[in-house]
């Protein structure tokens, strides 16, 4: 939902919600709040632990600078439960910054988790060393930033990347797996969705999902569906599908 005249308080992530009625926000979040956002005395903000916990706060004192701090008065604590029906986006590794864009858009659209997939036709290759770790951290950073921007109570977990064989095991354990495939016979709108459990939403790479991968996923119980009559980029497909799933299921009710 878009902001109405800037009335929605910004969200800042903390490892855990503070106890009591007063708190001090420090570190990078405080620098962003005090120096970038220029929050001052009397303005509102929300602290989030990224796991459903929220604290509505008012700034008592702002100390900008390299060692910025905000002294906060906690007005109210609340908890947003996780949805009974969750959606994990299985996102094939994409070249350049398209993978991070996919995570950002999926997070804004409500993804509960992201599972990077080493698909056969993925141009990007994450090794198991420092380069792969940095790529994974960029995806996780994109999820955190997008969750704050979207004022979400839950930050999606971004798992370590999986092979197709490992993905097949996840498909067997899911309540439902939908594979976005432009050539699929059935539309997403006709898919039967469960009331609870985990739905895997599989998005292939720029070159598409191979016939062998489709067969392996289908053998584990996955269903291929199409979004419409056009072909979307790998970076935008999950976000569009999440919107449709929100309407078709109980997630947006």
């Amino acid at each position: 939902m878009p902001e109405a005249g800037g009335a929605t308080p910004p969200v800042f992530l903390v490892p855990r919600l503070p106890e009591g009625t007063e708190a001090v926000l420090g570190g990078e979040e405080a620098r962003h709040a005090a120096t970038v956002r220029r929050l001052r005395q009397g303005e509102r903000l929300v602290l989030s632990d990224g796991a459903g916990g929220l604290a509505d706060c008012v700034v008592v004192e702002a100390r900008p600078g390299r060692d910025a701090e905000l002294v906060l008065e906690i007005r109210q604590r609340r908890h947003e439960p996780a949805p009974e029906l969750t959606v994990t986006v299985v996102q094939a590794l994409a070249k350049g910054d398209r993978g991070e864009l996919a995570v950002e858009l999926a997070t804004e659209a409500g993804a509960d988790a992201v599972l990077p997939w080493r698909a056969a036709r993925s141009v990007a290759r994450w090794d198991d060393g420092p380069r792969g770790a940095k790529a994974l951290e960029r995806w996780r950073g994109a999820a955190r930033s997008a969750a704050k921007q979207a004022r979400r109570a839950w930050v999606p977990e971004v798992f370590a990347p999986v092979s197709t064989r490992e993905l097949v095991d996840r498909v067997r354990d899911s309540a439902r797996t939908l594979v976005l495939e432009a050539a699929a016979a059935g539309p997403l709108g006709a898919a039967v969705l469960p009331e609870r459990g985990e739905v895997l939403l599989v998005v292939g790479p720029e070159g598409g999902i191979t016939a062998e991968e489709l067969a392996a996923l289908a053998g584990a119980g996955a269903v291929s569906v199409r979004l419409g009559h056009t072909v979307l980029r790998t970076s935008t497909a999950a976000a569009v599908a999440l919107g449709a799933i929100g309407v078709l299921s109980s997630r947006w009710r």
Side-chain angles (χ1 to χ4, degrees):
M1 181 180 295
E3 296 180 46
T8 306
V11 172
F12 297 92
L13 289 172
V14 292
R16 67 184 65 85
L17 293 183
E19 300 178 357
T21 59
E22 200 172 89
V24 176
L25 179 66
E28 185 60 36
E29 292 291 80
R31 284 192 290 274
H32 184 74
T35 305
V36 180
R37 296 295 300 256
R38 298 180 182 275
L39 295 182
R40 295 296 181 260
Q41 182 180 9
E43 294 190 271
R44 299 180 299 149
L45 62 83
V46 176
L47 297 181
S48 169
D49 62 7
L54 301 166
D56 300 315
C57 305
V58 172
V59 178
V60 176
E61 182 181 357
R63 304 164 186 159
R66 186 172 62 180
D67 299 320
E69 287 186 336
L70 268 72
V71 179
L72 307 172
E73 177 189 350
I74 299 176
R75 296 283 180 87
Q76 181 183 6
R77 287 181 181 80
R78 47 200 169 92
H79 186 271
E80 183 177 307
E84 291 188 351
L85 180 65
T86 63
V87 179
T88 295
V89 172
V90 179
Q91 177 65 53
L93 302 185
K95 63 183 179 181
D97 60 357
R98 290 183 181 175
E100 294 164 52
L101 177 59
V103 174
E104 177 185 336
L105 295 177
T107 298
E108 291 181 6
D112 299 291
V114 177
L115 181 63
W117 174 31
R118 292 186 171 109
R121 291 175 177 163
S122 287
V123 175
R125 298 292 173 184
W126 291 8
D127 57 33
D128 292 324
R131 291 183 61 185
K134 288 181 180 179
L136 179 58
E137 185 51 41
R138 286 195 297 269
W139 280 35
R140 288 172 172 167
R144 289 192 295 268
S145 296
K148 291 194 295 181
Q149 179 66 32
R151 313 303 199 250
R152 289 191 56 177
W154 290 83
V155 176
E157 182 173 1
V158 180
F159 298 102
V162 296
S163 65
T164 299
R165 179 178 296 180
E166 292 168 323
L167 176 55
V168 166
D169 291 336
R170 287 290 301 264
V171 171
R172 292 193 180 101
D173 293 336
S174 71
R176 190 70 162 167
T177 295
L178 303 176
V179 181
L180 299 184
E181 173 58 36
L188 175 58
V192 177
L193 296 170
E195 287 295 319
R196 58 187 57 83
E198 181 189 41
V199 170
L200 296 183
L201 179 65
V202 181
V203 181
E206 289 92 338
I209 303 174
T210 68
E212 293 78 12
E213 289 169 332
L214 287 172
L217 296 172
V223 176
S224 292
V225 294
R226 68 175 188 274
L227 280 175
H229 300 294
T230 59
V231 177
L232 298 177
R233 289 182 180 271
T234 187
S235 53
T236 56
V240 174
L242 281 160
I245 291 172
V247 173
L248 294 170
S249 69
S250 60
R251 285 171 58 84
W252 284 5
R253 295 175 195 161

Tab-separated table of all heavy atoms in Angstrom, residues 17-23 47 55-58 72-77:
chain	number	residue	atom	x	y	z
A	17	LEU	N	13.450	-6.721	20.197
A	17	LEU	CA	12.750	-5.537	20.685
A	17	LEU	C	13.190	-5.234	22.116
A	17	LEU	O	13.287	-6.139	22.952
A	17	LEU	CB	11.239	-5.750	20.647
A	17	LEU	CG	10.608	-5.871	19.262
A	17	LEU	CD1	9.102	-6.005	19.387
A	17	LEU	CD2	10.953	-4.680	18.376
A	18	PRO	N	13.459	-3.957	22.422
A	18	PRO	CA	13.875	-3.609	23.781
A	18	PRO	C	12.733	-3.751	24.777
A	18	PRO	O	11.556	-3.667	24.411
A	18	PRO	CB	14.322	-2.147	23.644
A	18	PRO	CG	13.564	-1.635	22.458
A	18	PRO	CD	13.424	-2.791	21.525
A	19	GLU	N	13.097	-3.970	26.024
A	19	GLU	CA	12.104	-4.027	27.090
A	19	GLU	C	11.933	-2.644	27.710
A	19	GLU	O	12.735	-1.749	27.498
A	19	GLU	CB	12.533	-5.044	28.152
A	19	GLU	CG	12.684	-6.466	27.611
A	19	GLU	CD	13.158	-7.446	28.671
A	19	GLU	OE1	13.428	-6.994	29.805
A	19	GLU	OE2	13.263	-8.643	28.364
A	20	GLY	N	10.896	-2.492	28.499
A	20	GLY	CA	10.663	-1.214	29.156
A	20	GLY	C	9.982	-0.211	28.247
A	20	GLY	O	9.483	-0.538	27.168
A	21	THR	N	9.983	1.046	28.671
A	21	THR	CA	9.292	2.105	27.940
A	21	THR	C	10.241	3.049	27.226
A	21	THR	O	9.801	3.992	26.564
A	21	THR	CB	8.411	2.924	28.893
A	21	THR	OG1	9.234	3.493	29.918
A	21	THR	CG2	7.336	2.051	29.527
A	22	GLU	N	11.542	2.829	27.362
A	22	GLU	CA	12.535	3.687	26.719
A	22	GLU	C	13.605	2.818	26.077
A	22	GLU	O	13.943	1.747	26.576
A	22	GLU	CB	13.164	4.642	27.732
A	22	GLU	CG	13.818	5.859	27.097
A	22	GLU	CD	14.262	6.891	28.114
A	22	GLU	OE1	15.413	6.785	28.590
A	22	GLU	OE2	13.462	7.782	28.446
A	23	ALA	N	14.129	3.294	24.951
A	23	ALA	CA	15.149	2.529	24.241
A	23	ALA	C	16.095	3.487	23.538
A	23	ALA	O	15.759	4.653	23.284
A	23	ALA	CB	14.509	1.596	23.226
A	47	LEU	N	10.089	0.069	15.482
A	47	LEU	CA	11.162	-0.909	15.578
A	47	LEU	C	10.592	-2.278	15.264
A	47	LEU	O	9.496	-2.620	15.704
A	47	LEU	CB	11.779	-0.914	16.983
A	47	LEU	CG	12.462	0.371	17.457
A	47	LEU	CD1	13.031	0.169	18.859
A	47	LEU	CD2	13.554	0.813	16.496
A	55	ALA	N	7.362	-2.434	17.607
A	55	ALA	CA	7.232	-1.488	18.711
A	55	ALA	C	7.048	-0.095	18.128
A	55	ALA	O	7.908	0.397	17.385
A	55	ALA	CB	8.462	-1.525	19.614
A	56	ASP	N	5.914	0.537	18.434
A	56	ASP	CA	5.637	1.901	17.992
A	56	ASP	C	6.340	2.876	18.934
A	56	ASP	O	6.134	2.820	20.154
A	56	ASP	CB	4.130	2.162	17.994
A	56	ASP	CG	3.396	1.217	17.066
A	56	ASP	OD1	3.863	1.019	15.928
A	56	ASP	OD2	2.356	0.661	17.482
A	57	CYS	N	7.155	3.763	18.360
A	57	CYS	CA	7.996	4.640	19.177
A	57	CYS	C	7.869	6.100	18.756
A	57	CYS	O	7.459	6.407	17.634
A	57	CYS	CB	9.471	4.236	19.056
A	57	CYS	SG	9.815	2.513	19.457
A	58	VAL	N	8.260	6.974	19.675
A	58	VAL	CA	8.373	8.405	19.413
A	58	VAL	C	9.792	8.826	19.763
A	58	VAL	O	10.344	8.404	20.790
A	58	VAL	CB	7.351	9.215	20.237
A	58	VAL	CG1	7.604	10.710	20.095
A	58	VAL	CG2	5.936	8.890	19.803
A	72	LEU	N	14.419	6.804	22.336
A	72	LEU	CA	13.034	6.560	21.940
A	72	LEU	C	12.148	6.274	23.144
A	72	LEU	O	12.585	5.638	24.107
A	72	LEU	CB	12.960	5.362	20.985
A	72	LEU	CG	13.863	5.402	19.752
A	72	LEU	CD1	13.809	4.069	19.037
A	72	LEU	CD2	13.458	6.542	18.821
A	73	GLU	N	10.922	6.718	23.046
A	73	GLU	CA	9.874	6.311	23.990
A	73	GLU	C	9.010	5.265	23.294
A	73	GLU	O	8.495	5.505	22.201
A	73	GLU	CB	9.016	7.502	24.402
A	73	GLU	CG	7.871	7.121	25.329
A	73	GLU	CD	6.888	8.254	25.569
A	73	GLU	OE1	7.177	9.400	25.171
A	73	GLU	OE2	5.808	7.970	26.131
A	74	ILE	N	8.883	4.106	23.915
A	74	ILE	CA	8.078	3.033	23.335
A	74	ILE	C	6.633	3.213	23.780
A	74	ILE	O	6.324	3.165	24.973
A	74	ILE	CB	8.612	1.655	23.750
A	74	ILE	CG1	10.056	1.478	23.241
A	74	ILE	CG2	7.724	0.541	23.200
A	74	ILE	CD1	10.698	0.182	23.673
A	75	ARG	N	5.753	3.408	22.820
A	75	ARG	CA	4.348	3.652	23.119
A	75	ARG	C	3.530	2.359	23.133
A	75	ARG	O	2.592	2.212	23.916
A	75	ARG	CB	3.759	4.616	22.087
A	75	ARG	CG	4.372	6.015	22.113
A	75	ARG	CD	3.825	6.821	23.276
A	75	ARG	NE	4.375	8.161	23.342
A	75	ARG	CZ	3.866	9.221	22.694
A	75	ARG	NH1	2.823	9.067	21.892
A	75	ARG	NH2	4.411	10.406	22.843
A	76	GLN	N	3.870	1.433	22.254
A	76	GLN	CA	3.053	0.211	22.142
A	76	GLN	C	3.880	-0.896	21.506
A	76	GLN	O	4.688	-0.646	20.603
A	76	GLN	CB	1.807	0.466	21.292
A	76	GLN	CG	0.893	-0.741	21.138
A	76	GLN	CD	-0.296	-0.450	20.224
A	76	GLN	OE1	-0.377	0.601	19.618
A	76	GLN	NE2	-1.210	-1.399	20.137
A	77	ARG	N	3.671	-2.118	21.990
A	77	ARG	CA	4.252	-3.304	21.371
A	77	ARG	C	3.129	-4.144	20.766
A	77	ARG	O	2.044	-4.221	21.337
A	77	ARG	CB	5.028	-4.142	22.394
A	77	ARG	CG	6.345	-3.546	22.824
A	77	ARG	CD	7.050	-4.475	23.816
A	77	ARG	NE	8.307	-3.935	24.259
A	77	ARG	CZ	8.438	-3.008	25.192
A	77	ARG	NH1	7.354	-2.526	25.794
A	77	ARG	NH2	9.620	-2.537	25.530
